[in-house]
C-alpha cells in the first residue's frame, strides 16, 4: 500500500512541471490575478471591469479580504501574478497576507491595483505610503471641487468630480484619446516628492481641495489644486507596476455607464470616460503594453563579425542591439530615436544615440577611447510608461603592444641613420679586419 | 446666544463695523452664559478706530477668537467696546485674557464675517506665505433666508497691497470681473504682498467653504493654491515657500481667486492680477536644474589625445645626412691609414666556406636585428638569432684561424 502511494507520488512529482501552467518569460503579461473584496457584492457592482479583464484572458480569483485561507505563495512560489485590492476598509487581511507580504509581492516584480475610498483603513493607507503616495491624513476628508463637479449627478456636495486632466502618455493611456471626462468620487492623495517613480495619471483641477464635508475649513486644507492626484501609477525599478486610486467607484458599473456633464459647461457626454480610462490603464498595469525587451546585443571591430575578447585603444567598433515591445499578443519591433549606448568606465567616455532601421534593430559605431581599462557597454533606457532597459556588457581595452607603434617616425631619422651607419661601419670593419694585408 | 441673534437680525448691516459698534453702544453689553463652557484656542487682537459721531474710548478693540465648545471649533469675533483700562495694561497673552473675559460674561459674540486677509511675506532668502485674519471690516448677517435661484459667488472691497518696510504700501483695487489692467504688481525680496477681500454671494457678504488664491506660472502651467483663512487667528501661521519655478519665471505670474461652496451656487474663478517677481540680484536664488528623467542625455564624444608633435622634416633630414656622412669619412680615414682588402682572394681560396658563411651570418644577424626592430616579436627573433649565431660562431672560428695562419705566415 505504502509502496503504491510512493510510486504515485513520484509520478506526480515527475509530471508536476508539465501540469503547471508555467509562466513563460517570453510573455510578460500577467495571467493569474487575486481580487480581494470587502464584500462580494463588488463582484457584481464592478462586473464590467472584471469581465473586461476576463475577456482579455486573465484568470481572476475572487476572495474576501478577511478570508482566513488567504495566501499569495505556496512552497515559495507565487500563486498569482497580480493583486487587486478592492477592499478599502479592511483593517487586517485574513490568512498569511499582511502589509509586508503585499510589499514583498510587489518587490518580486508583481503588479498591484489599489482602489480606496473615504473608508480607507490604515492598512490600505500604509500600503499606499510604501508605494510613494500619501492619502490625505484627515480620514474624513474627500476631494471637493466646486468648479468641475459632475453636474448630471450633482447632489449638492460636489464630491463627484469630472476630471479630464490626464497624463500625457500614449503608452500608459493608449493611443486613443480618452473621449469623456472621468468620474471620480473619493479621497485625494499627494505624491511623495522624493519618489521619482510615481506618476500622476489623473489629477484634480486647480480649484479642487481635500476637506471634511461636515465641518468648516478650520485650517487651510493640506491638499489643494492640481497638486491633488486622483489616480497615480508607480513603476518600480524591477518593473512591477502599481495603480493607486482614491476612488473605488471609479471602477464601478454605475460610473462606467453614467452620462457626464461638467458643471458650467454645456457639453453632455452620453457615457463617462471611466471604462476607457480604466481598461487602458489596466492594460498597462498588467504589462499588456509598454513592456520592452532587448536581445542580440552584439559588438565587434569595424569590418569584422566575431566578437573580440578585448579591444585595443583607438579601435573602431560597431555595437548593435534589437529592442522589441510586447503588444499583448506578440513582440513587435520598438521604434524610437533616443536609445543611447554608453562606453563606460567609472563615467561614460562615449555616449552615442543609436541609429535604427525602423525594425527594432539599433546600431552605431565609434572609436574606442585612448584610455585603457575595463569598460562596459551600457544601455540605460528609461522612458515614461515603458519598462526600463538596463544592459551592460563588460569588455577590457588594452594599450598598444610595443610592436604596434609606428616604427619609423621622422623625428627619429637621425637615430636610425646613426644605428644603420654603425651597422654598415661594423660590417666594413669586419671585412677590413679579415682581409687586411 | 438668542439675544445675539436677535440683535444681529435686527440691527447689523453687513460690511459696516461702525454700524455694529454703534449698535452695541446703543444696546449695551450682551451676556451669554453658555460661553462659560467654551475655551479659547486662539485669539488675535485688533485695535479699532473710534466711531465717528460717538464718543468711544481709544482702547476699543476687537478680538477674533477660535472657540472650542464640545467638539466643534468655531470662530467668533468678539467686539469689545466698553472702555477697559486694564486691557492695555495687561501683559497676559490674549488667549488667557480672553478666557478670563469669557468667564466674566462681558462679551458679545457675532458669527465670523466672510473676510480674510492673505499676506504674502517675502524674506531675504525665500518667499513665504503667511495667512492671517487681521482686519475686521464687516459683520455677517447670521440668518439669511436660503435663496431659490442659483446664487453666484463674487467678492468686493478687495485690495491688493504691496508693502515695503517703512514705506507707504502700493495699493490697487481688485475686481472679480476683469483682470487688473494696471501693470503687474512687482515683488522683490523685501516686499510683502497682501490681499484683502470680502466674499459675497449675490452681493451679500457670506462665507464660502472654499476661498483660494491660486498663483500660476504661465510657461509650465504650474500652480500653487493658497487658502484664505476665513476663520483663524493670526498666530497659527502657515508658511509655504513659493516653488522655485515661480521665482525663475520670465513672464508675470497669474494670480486668480477661487470662491465656491456646496449647493447650486455658481463658483467664482477669476484671474485677478499679475505678479512680477524680481529676484534679488545681489543674492540670486539657487535654482535647481531640472531632473534628468525619461530624457536622452547629451552625447559625449571622447576627445583623443593629440598626435605627438615632431620637428620639421627638413631638420631631421639635415641631421640624418650629417650622421650618414660620417660613414664615408670613417672609411676615408681607414683608407688613409692604410686599410685595404688585398687578401680577399687569398683568404677565400684558403677557406671559402668559412669566410662566406661568416660574412653572411654577420650580415644576416644585422638583418635579424633590423627585422626585430621593424616588425618581429622576440619569439620570432630568438630562434633565427640562435641559428645565425651558431653559424657565425663555428664559421667565425674557422675564418679567424685562417686569418691567424696568415699572420703566423707573416702575410699581414
Amino acid at each position: 500500500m505504502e509502496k503504491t502511494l510512493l510510486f504515485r507520488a513520484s509520478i506526480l512529482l515527475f509530471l508536476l512541471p508539465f501540469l503547471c501552467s508555467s509562466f513563460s518569460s517570453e510573455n510578460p503579461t500577467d495571467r493569474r490575478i487575486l481580487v480581494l473584496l470587502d464584500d462580494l457584492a463588488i463582484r457584481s457592482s464592478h462586473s464590467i471591469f472584471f469581465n473586461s479583464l476576463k475577456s482579455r484572458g486573465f484568470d481572476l480569483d475572487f476572495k474576501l479580504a478577511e478570508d482566513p485561507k488567504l495566501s499569495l505563495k505556496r512552497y515559495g512560489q507565487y500563486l498569482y501574478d497580480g493583486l487587486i485590492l478592492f477592499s478599502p476598509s479592511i483593517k487586517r487581511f485574513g490568512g498569511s497576507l499582511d502589509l509586508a507580504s503585499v510589499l514583498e509581492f510587489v518587490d518580486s516584480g508583481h503588479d498591484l491595483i489599489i482602489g480606496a475610498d473615504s473608508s480607507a483603513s490604515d492598512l490600505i493607507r500604509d500600503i499606499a505610503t510604501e508605494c510613494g503616495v500619501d492619502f490625505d491624513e484627515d480620514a474624513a476628508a474627500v476631494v471637493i471641487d466646486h468648479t468641475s463637479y459632475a453636474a448630471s449627478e450633482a447632489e449638492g456636495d460636489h464630491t463627484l468630480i469630472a476630471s479630464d486632466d490626464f497624463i500625457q502618455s500614449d503608452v500608459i493611456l493608449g493611443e486613443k484619446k480618452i473621449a469623456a471626462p472621468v468620474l471620480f468620487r473619493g479621497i485625494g492623495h499627494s505624491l511623495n516628492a522624493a519618489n521619482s517613480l510615481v506618476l500622476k495619471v489623473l489629477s484634480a483641477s486647480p480649484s479642487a481641495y481635500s476637506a471634511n464635508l461636515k465641518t468648516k475649513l478650520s485650517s487651510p486644507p493640506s491638499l489643494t489644486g492640481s497638486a491633488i492626484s486622483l489616480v497615480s501609477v508607480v513603476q518600480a525599478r524591477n518593473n512591477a507596476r502599481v495603480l493607486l486610486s482614491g476612488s473605488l467607484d471609479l471602477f464601478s458599473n454605475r460610473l462606467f455607464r453614467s452620462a457626464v456633464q461638467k458643471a458650467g459647461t454645456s457639453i453632455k457626454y452620453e457615457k463617462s470616460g471611466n471604462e476607457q480610462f480604466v481598461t487602458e490603464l489596466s492594460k498597462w498595469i498588467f504589462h499588456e503594453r509598454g513592456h520592452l525587451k532587448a536581445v542580440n546585443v552584439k559588438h565587434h571591430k569595424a569590418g569584422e563579425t566575431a566578437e573580440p575578447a578585448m579591444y585595443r585603444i583607438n579601435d573602431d567598433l560597431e555595437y548593435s542591439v534589437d529592442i522589441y515591445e510586447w503588444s499583448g499578443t506578440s513582440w513587435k519591433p520598438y521604434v524610437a530615436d533616443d536609445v543611447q549606448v554608453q562606453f563606460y568606465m567609472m563615467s561614460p567616455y562615449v555616449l552615442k544615440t543609436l541609429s535604427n532601421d525602423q525594425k527594432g534593430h539599433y546600431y552605431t559605431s565609434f572609436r574606442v577611447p585612448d584610455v585603457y581599462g575595463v569598460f562596459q557597454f551600457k544601455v540605460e533606457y528609461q522612458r515614461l510608461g515603458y519598462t526600463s532597459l538596463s544592459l551592460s556588457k563588460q569588455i577590457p581595452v588594452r594599450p598598444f603592444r610595443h610592436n604596434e607603434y609606428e616604427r619609423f617616425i621622422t623625428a627619429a631619422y637621425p637615430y636610425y641613420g646613426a644605428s644603420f651607419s654603425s651597422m654598415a661601419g661594423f660590417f666594413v670593419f669586419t671585412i677590413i679586419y679579415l682581409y687586411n694585408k | 446666544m438668542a439675544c445675539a441673534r436677535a440683535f444681529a437680525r435686527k440691527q447689523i448691516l453687513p460690511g459696516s463695523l461702525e454700524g455694529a459698534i454703534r449698535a452695541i453702544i446703543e444696546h449695551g453689553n450682551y451676556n451669554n452664559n453658555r460661553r462659560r463652557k467654551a475655551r479659547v484656542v486662539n485669539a488675535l487682537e485688533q485695535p479699532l478706530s473710534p466711531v465717528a459721531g460717538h464718543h468711544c474710548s481709544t482702547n476699543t478693540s476687537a478680538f477674533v477668537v477660535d472657540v472650542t465648545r464640545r467638539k466643534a471649533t468655531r470662530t467668533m469675533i468678539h467686539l469689545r467696546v466698553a472702555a477697559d483700562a486694564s486691557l492695555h495694561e495687561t501683559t497676559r497673552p490674549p488667549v488667557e485674557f480672553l478666557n478670563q473675559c469669557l468667564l466674566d460674561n462681558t462679551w458679545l459674540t457675532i458669527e465670523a464675517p466672510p473676510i480674510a486677509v492673505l499676506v504674502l511675506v517675502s524674506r531675504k532668502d525665500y518667499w513665504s506665505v503667511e495667512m492671517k485674519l487681521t482686519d475686521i471690516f464687516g459683520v455677517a448677517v447670521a440668518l439669511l433666508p436660503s435663496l431659490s435661484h442659483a446664487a453666484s459667488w463674487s467678492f468686493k472691497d478687495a485690495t491688493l497691497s504691496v508693502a515695503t518696510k517703512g514705506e507707504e504700501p502700493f495699493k490697487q483695487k481688485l475686481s472679480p470681473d476683469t483682470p487688473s489692467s494696471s501693470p503687474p504688481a512687482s515683488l522683490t525680496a523685501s516686499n510683502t504682498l497682501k490681499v484683502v477681500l470680502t466674499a459675497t454671494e449675490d452681493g451679500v457678504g457670506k462665507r464660502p467653504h472654499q476661498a483660494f488664491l491660486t498663483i500660476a506660472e504661465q510657461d509650465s502651467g504650474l500652480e500653487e493654491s493658497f487658502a484664505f483663512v476665513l476663520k483663524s487667528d493670526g498666530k497659527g501661521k502657515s508658511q509655504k515657500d513659493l516653488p522655485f519655478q515661480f521665482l525663475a519665471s520670465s513672464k508675470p505670474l497669474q494670480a486668480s481667486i477661487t470662491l465656491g461652496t456646496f449647493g447650486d451656487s455658481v463658483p467664482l474663478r477669476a484671474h485677478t492680477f499679475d505678479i512680477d517677481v524680481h529676484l534679488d540680484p545681489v543674492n540670486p536664488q539657487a535654482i535647481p536644474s531640472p531632473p534628468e528623467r525619461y530624457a536622452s542625455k547629451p552625447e559625449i564624444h571622447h576627445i583623443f589625445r593629440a598626435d605627438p608633435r615632431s620637428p620639421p622634416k627638413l631638420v631631421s633630414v639635415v641631421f640624418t645626412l650629417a650622421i650618414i656622412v660620417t660613414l664615408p669619412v670613417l672609411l676615408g680615414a681607414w683608407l688613409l691609414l692604410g686599410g685595404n682588402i688585398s687578401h680577399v682572394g687569398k683568404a677565400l681560396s684558403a677557406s671559402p666556406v668559412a669566410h662566406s658563411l661568416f660574412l653572411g651570418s654577420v650580415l644576416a644577424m644585422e638583418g635579424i636585428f633590423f627585422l626585430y626592430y621593424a616588425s618581429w616579436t622576440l619569439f620570432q627573433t630568438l630562434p633565427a638569432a640562435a641559428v645565425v649565431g651558431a653559424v657565425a660562431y663555428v664559421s667565425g672560428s674557422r675564418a679567424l684561424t685562417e686569418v691567424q695562419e696568415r699572420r703566423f705566415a707573416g702575410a699581414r
Side-chain angles (χ1 to χ4, degrees):
Chain A
M1 186 66 197
E2 239 175 53
K3 245 183 180 177
T4 42
L5 254 178
L6 212 71
F7 179 67
R8 274 185 195 166
S10 64
I11 283 186
L12 207 70
L13 268 178
F14 177 73
L15 286 176
L16 205 63
F18 305 101
L19 293 173
C20 287
S21 56
S22 57
F23 176 78
S24 158
S25 62
E26 276 300 291
N27 178 355
T29 304
D30 298 344
R31 288 290 132 218
R32 303 156 301 169
I33 292 167
L34 176 64
V35 186
L36 293 186
L37 309 169
D38 267 347
D39 178 355
L40 285 176
I42 295 176
R43 206 174 153 173
S44 50
S45 65
H46 293 56
S47 61
I48 300 180
F49 172 60
F50 293 135
N51 287 339
S52 113
L53 287 181
K54 276 183 198 159
S55 69
R56 300 204 314 260
F58 293 97
D59 206 354
L60 300 187
D61 191 359
F62 294 93
K63 292 230 168 98
L64 279 176
E66 67 254 20
D67 189 332
K69 280 184 258 155
L70 276 187
S71 165
L72 285 175
K73 28 156 102 160
R74 190 186 293 157
Y75 309 129
Q77 292 284 313
Y78 277 106
L79 299 171
Y80 304 99
D81 306 320
L83 177 62
I84 298 180
L85 292 180
F86 278 181
S87 53
S89 62
I90 189 76
K91 293 200 170 56
R92 251 193 97 189
F93 292 118
S96 63
L97 203 60
D98 58 4
L99 172 65
S101 61
V102 171
L103 297 178
E104 199 193 318
F105 184 69
V106 175
D107 284 345
S108 57
H110 298 90
D111 306 317
L112 174 66
I113 292 183
I114 297 179
D117 63 14
S118 51
S119 68
S121 66
D122 284 348
L123 176 61
I124 295 295
R125 284 165 190 270
D126 285 348
I127 296 175
T129 306
E130 292 289 342
C131 294
V133 311
D134 297 305
F135 284 113
D136 195 340
E137 281 177 10
D138 184 355
V142 291
V143 183
I144 303 168
D145 195 332
H146 298 304
T147 310
S148 54
Y149 58 95
S152 48
E153 296 240 352
E155 286 156 14
D157 60 1
H158 303 171
T159 55
L160 185 68
I161 295 168
S163 176
D164 50 9
D165 198 354
F166 305 109
I167 190 172
Q168 298 299 315
S169 167
D170 282 356
V171 60
I172 295 178
L173 288 181
E175 278 167 19
K176 243 175 88 189
K177 201 174 156 289
I178 306 285
V182 168
L183 292 171
F184 179 96
R185 188 204 305 277
I187 54 179
H189 58 259
S190 59
L191 307 190
N192 182 346
N195 187 337
S196 60
L197 302 171
V198 196
L199 302 169
K200 211 190 290 181
V201 176
L202 182 67
S203 38
S205 83
S207 55
Y209 61 110
S210 174
N212 187 342
L213 277 179
K214 306 218 167 57
T215 60
K216 285 181 184 164
L217 283 178
S218 55
S219 56
S222 55
L223 294 178
T224 57
S226 40
I228 301 179
S229 176
L230 305 177
V231 179
S232 299
V233 293
V234 182
Q235 180 173 278
R237 290 199 177 84
N238 62 1
N239 293 335
R241 287 171 176 174
V242 181
L243 167 66
L244 299 123
S245 164
S247 167
L248 182 54
D249 288 350
L250 181 83
F251 303 89
S252 70
N253 294 359
R254 198 167 76 86
L255 293 192
F256 271 25
R257 287 202 198 105
S258 66
V260 56
Q261 182 182 4
K262 250 189 173 184
T265 61
S266 54
I267 310 159
K268 192 170 165 101
Y269 300 92
E270 282 308 309
K271 196 164 170 290
S272 72
N274 286 39
E275 182 167 5
Q276 191 190 353
F277 177 72
V278 167
T279 307
E280 293 298 325
L281 206 51
S282 69
K283 278 184 186 167
W284 184 80
I285 290 289
F286 292 131
H287 290 266
E288 286 171 80
R289 201 166 43 220
H291 191 103
L292 301 180
K293 78 165 179 184
V295 289
N296 281 339
V297 181
K298 280 182 193 159
H299 61 90
H300 50 78
K301 275 189 205 168
E304 298 178 12
T305 50
E307 184 175 303
M310 190 185 270
Y311 285 105
R312 195 194 64 190
I313 60 171
N314 294 6
D315 269 352
D316 287 305
L317 64 82
E318 285 169 2
Y319 178 89
S320 68
V321 60
D322 293 348
I323 301 179
Y324 295 97
E325 183 188 358
W326 179 249
S327 70
T329 48
S330 62
W331 290 101
K332 298 261 164 68
Y334 175 71
V335 180
D337 54 5
D338 55 357
V339 185
Q340 294 181 316
V341 65
Q342 301 177 26
F343 200 59
Y344 189 95
M345 180 172 70
M346 314 278 267
S347 63
Y349 279 73
V350 173
L351 195 158
K352 271 198 103 174
T353 305
L354 298 171
S355 321
N356 75 86
D357 63 354
Q358 304 291 315
K359 285 180 200 129
H361 182 70
Y362 292 80
Y363 55 92
T364 191
S365 60
F366 58 90
R367 174 168 285 188
V368 177
D370 51 0
V371 180
Y372 56 88
V374 178
F375 279 83
Q376 281 178 310
F377 289 104
K378 266 192 169 187
V379 175
E380 297 283 345
Y381 190 66
Q382 274 130 14
R383 291 297 177 273
L384 184 70
Y386 289 100
T387 54
S388 53
L389 286 181
S390 181
L391 312 174
S392 72
K393 201 162 192 181
Q394 193 164 298
I395 187 83
V397 172
R398 63 169 175 82
F400 281 110
R401 284 205 197 98
H402 76 280
N403 60 353
E404 284 173 335
Y405 290 99
E406 201 185 343
R407 302 315 287 164
F408 296 100
I409 53 178
T410 52
Y413 279 178
Y415 304 101
Y416 309 138
S419 301
F420 297 139
S421 63
S422 63
M423 280 161 79
F426 174 73
F427 187 66
V428 174
F429 173 77
T430 311
I431 293 172
I432 291 176
Y433 179 79
L434 288 176
Y435 310 118
N436 197 21
K437 185 175 179 180
Chain B
M1 196 64 192
C3 47
R5 272 200 187 147
F7 162 77
R9 248 189 223 153
K10 202 165 97 191
Q11 296 291 344
I12 298 178
L13 295 172
S16 162
L17 174 68
E18 288 170 15
I21 294 173
R22 193 173 292 126
I24 295 163
I25 290 169
E26 284 165 15
H27 288 82
N29 286 339
Y30 283 81
N31 291 343
N32 188 341
N33 290 330
R34 290 186 195 178
R35 285 284 86 83
R36 277 184 183 284
K37 285 179 183 166
R39 191 172 60 79
V40 174
V41 179
N42 284 305
L44 175 74
E45 181 185 3
Q46 184 66 38
L48 301 173
S49 51
V51 180
H54 282 264
H55 176 70
C56 189
S57 165
T58 47
N59 57 12
T60 296
S61 55
F63 281 87
V64 184
V65 188
D66 271 358
V67 178
T68 331
R69 193 147 50 89
R70 294 196 187 92
K71 277 180 184 168
T73 303
R74 301 182 71 188
T75 299
M76 310 288 178
I77 292 180
H78 299 267
L79 295 176
R80 185 186 164 282
V81 198
D84 184 347
S86 69
L87 178 66
H88 278 253
E89 285 159 13
T90 181
T91 53
R92 285 178 294 180
V95 173
E96 195 187 334
F97 178 74
L98 273 172
N99 268 327
Q100 186 58 44
C101 295
L102 285 171
L103 292 175
D104 292 347
N105 288 334
T106 53
W107 298 90
L108 169 78
T109 306
I110 303 168
E111 282 270 2
I115 297 162
V117 176
L118 189 126
V119 188
L120 275 167
V121 179
S122 61
R123 297 269 158 86
K124 188 95 184 142
D125 50 347
Y126 63 94
W127 296 86
S128 68
V129 175
E130 292 175 10
M131 290 159 208
K132 47 178 153 178
L133 177 53
T134 53
D135 303 60
I136 299 163
F137 295 108
V139 186
V141 175
L143 299 165
L144 271 178
S146 62
L147 299 168
S148 53
H149 71 280
S152 58
W153 284 93
S154 185
F155 60 84
K156 63 180 182 183
D157 301 340
T159 43
L160 161 75
S161 55
V162 179
T164 316
K165 256 182 197 158
E167 283 179 39
E168 190 68 16
F170 158 82
K171 280 199 175 167
Q172 189 181 318
K173 283 255 174 245
L174 297 179
S175 127
D177 307 322
T178 48
S180 176
S181 55
S182 48
S186 70
L187 210 57
T188 64
S190 57
N191 284 356
T192 302
L193 189 142
K194 185 167 162 183
V195 180
V196 181
L197 59 84
T198 305
T200 60
E201 188 178 28
D202 278 357
V204 182
K206 205 177 170 186
R207 168 202 183 120
H209 196 249
Q210 176 192 26
F212 285 174
L213 175 73
T214 307
I215 297 177
E217 209 257 297
Q218 294 183 42
D219 290 331
S220 64
L222 184 79
E223 288 183 321
E224 181 82 25
S225 292
F226 303 105
F228 283 97
V229 180
L230 292 162
K231 55 169 206 175
S232 177
D233 75 294
K235 287 182 184 133
K237 286 174 188 168
S238 82
Q239 293 199 331
K240 280 184 188 169
D241 292 349
L242 277 183
F244 66 86
Q245 285 92 339
F246 284 2
L247 306 182
S249 168
S250 55
K251 288 181 190 165
L253 304 176
Q254 289 184 337
S256 49
I257 289 172
T258 308
L259 300 172
T261 201
F262 306 111
D264 293 332
S265 57
V266 180
L268 171 81
R269 182 168 170 77
H271 171 207
T272 317
F273 61 95
D274 292 332
I275 307 171
D276 211 355
V277 176
H278 296 285
L279 287 177
D280 188 348
V282 184
N283 303 311
Q285 171 96 6
I287 290 163
S289 52
E292 284 180 14
R293 276 176 77 194
Y294 309 129
S296 46
K297 294 178 182 137
E299 289 202 348
I300 298 171
H301 297 279
H302 184 73
I303 297 166
F304 288 83
R305 255 179 300 228
D307 286 336
R309 283 174 49 208
S310 16
K313 210 169 181 177
L314 185 69
V315 175
S316 320
V317 169
V318 166
F319 279 94
T320 310
L321 288 176
I323 284 164
I324 289 172
V325 161
T326 56
L327 185 63
V329 170
L330 178 70
L331 295 182
W334 285 344
L335 280 177
L336 277 179
L337 289 171
N340 60 72
I341 46 166
S342 313
H343 279 173
V344 171
K346 207 186 241 182
L348 283 178
S349 57
S351 57
V353 178
H355 275 285
S356 52
L357 272 182
F358 181 59
L359 278 183
S361 63
V362 168
L363 207 57
M365 192 60 102
E366 289 187 341
I368 286 168
F369 284 135
F370 176 80
L371 282 174
Y372 178 50
Y373 179 75
S375 66
W376 279 11
T377 66
L378 193 61
F379 299 103
Q380 288 170 300
T381 310
L382 285 177
V387 169
V388 173
V391 170
Y393 181 77
V394 174
S395 60
S397 69
R398 296 284 155 83
L400 288 172
T401 307
E402 188 273 331
V403 172
Q404 194 186 32
E405 281 165 4
R406 263 188 285 138
R407 200 168 66 238
F408 286 159
R412 22 184 319 169

